Amino acid sequence: GQQLNQSPQSMFIQEGEDVSMNCTSSSIFNTWLWYKQDPGEGPVLLIALYKAGELTSNGRLTAQFGITRKDSFLNISASIPSDVGIYFCAGPPIIQGAQKLVFGQGTRLTINP
Amino acid sequence: DTGVSQDPRHKITKRGQNVTFRCDPISEHNRLYWYRQTLGQGPEFLTYFQNEAQLEKSRLLSDRFSAERPKGSFSTLEIQRTEQGDSAMYLCASSSGTLTQWPVTDTQYFGPGTRLTVL
């Protein structure tokens, strides 16, 4: 099945730094989603991308849908303590009518104050 | 709109016991999904419902697992004869199911999860 690989697996940064993470797949996706999960909670949708090359922002977060449709990037500018958590990329498999999501293994972000 | 709720939040059981989890979706959401998340991994799809119909089941859903959504509102996930490998966070999500057309997917809203520990 389609799998998503995220890198890096973890990041340790200083407050105020910018963050970049990415997600790749061996097969194409028509939709890329970025979720954030806090400890003990379910994932929360941050950004959804539906078109190759699309660049979408949500506050300090910016995500891009790769031109090849096999990757996506998430950037966080001027990180703050509440950005701590695990970031997941996800997308529906490219099967007609598929509604389930496939998730990457996550990027864990830790911020030193 | 109170969001997706799950009960219980935590469950500790002994191997071989049966457990049942409940999920209440956002009201009027037609689609309901179950995922399993183990430590250090992303959620993995288990099954999903459109109203009361169970439309897809993952191969992860062994014969010991059963999910129901009898009236198209809340859903239950039962695990029979639990094994230590069943220890995980079980997440429920819901989506409206009415406004989008593939390949655009509904936004899935996740609940807080039920953390299962099998001793």
Side-chain angles (χ1 to χ4, degrees), chain A residues 52-75:
Chain A
E54 180 181 356
L55 188 72
T56 297
S57 293
N58 178 6
R60 293 177 297 103
L61 277 61
T62 301
Q64 185 163 23
F65 192 138
I67 290 292
T68 65
R69 295 200 285 162
K70 292 184 178 181
D71 56 10
S72 179
F73 306 87
L74 177 69
N75 295 317

Side-chain angles (χ1 to χ4, degrees), chain B residues 7 9 36 39 88:
Chain B
D7 183 69
R9 293 292 305 273
R36 183 176 72 183
L39 207 60

Side-chain angles (χ1 to χ4, degrees), chain A residues 40-98:
Chain A
E41 300 296 330
V44 174
L45 182 66
L46 300 173
I47 293 179
L49 302 160
Y50 299 109
K51 190 176 177 182
E54 180 181 356
L55 188 72
T56 297
S57 293
N58 178 6
R60 293 177 297 103
L61 277 61
T62 301
Q64 185 163 23
F65 192 138
I67 290 292
T68 65
R69 295 200 285 162
K70 292 184 178 181
D71 56 10
S72 179
F73 306 87
L74 177 69
N75 295 317
I76 306 173
S77 62
S79 57
I80 60 177
S82 61
D83 292 333
V84 166
I86 304 176
Y87 292 79
F88 292 100
C89 60
I94 194 163
I95 302 169
Q96 179 74 29

Side-chain angles (χ1 to χ4, degrees), chain B:
Chain B
D1 185 350
T2 58
V4 178
S5 61
Q6 293 187 244
D7 183 69
R9 293 292 305 273
H10 303 274
K11 178 70 176 179
I12 300 174
T13 191
K14 292 183 180 179
R15 189 176 53 186
Q17 298 294 305
N18 299 343
V19 294
T20 300
F21 310 140
R22 176 179 170 125
C23 171
D24 286 273
I26 294 171
S27 61
E28 299 181 356
H29 272 192
N30 294 327
R31 290 183 179 146
L32 186 148
Y33 312 77
W34 286 98
Y35 291 82
R36 183 176 72 183
Q37 185 177 25
T38 53
L39 207 60
Q41 300 298 318
E44 296 174 290
F45 171 79
L46 292 178
T47 188
Y48 103 91
F49 293 83
Q50 172 87 29
N51 298 312
E52 66 274 9
Q54 189 172 15
L55 295 186
E56 186 174 355
K57 293 196 294 185
S58 161
R59 276 173 278 186
L60 291 175
L61 215 64
S62 75
D63 292 345
R64 296 183 297 105
F65 288 69
S66 62
E68 294 182 344
R69 195 183 183 199
K71 297 181 181 178
S73 57
F74 73 92
S75 175
T76 58
L77 177 68
E78 180 183 15
I79 309 175
Q80 296 182 327
R81 305 181 302 281
T82 52
E83 302 173 356
Q84 288 184 326
D86 296 332
S87 295
M89 173 81 88
Y90 289 84
L91 292 163
C92 175
S94 72
S95 68
S96 64
T98 56
L99 299 178
T100 59
Q101 188 172 8
W102 191 87
V104 176
T105 57
D106 288 344
T107 297
Q108 293 185 24
Y109 298 89
F110 283 81
T114 294
R115 180 165 294 285
L116 173 65
T117 302
V118 181
L119 303 176

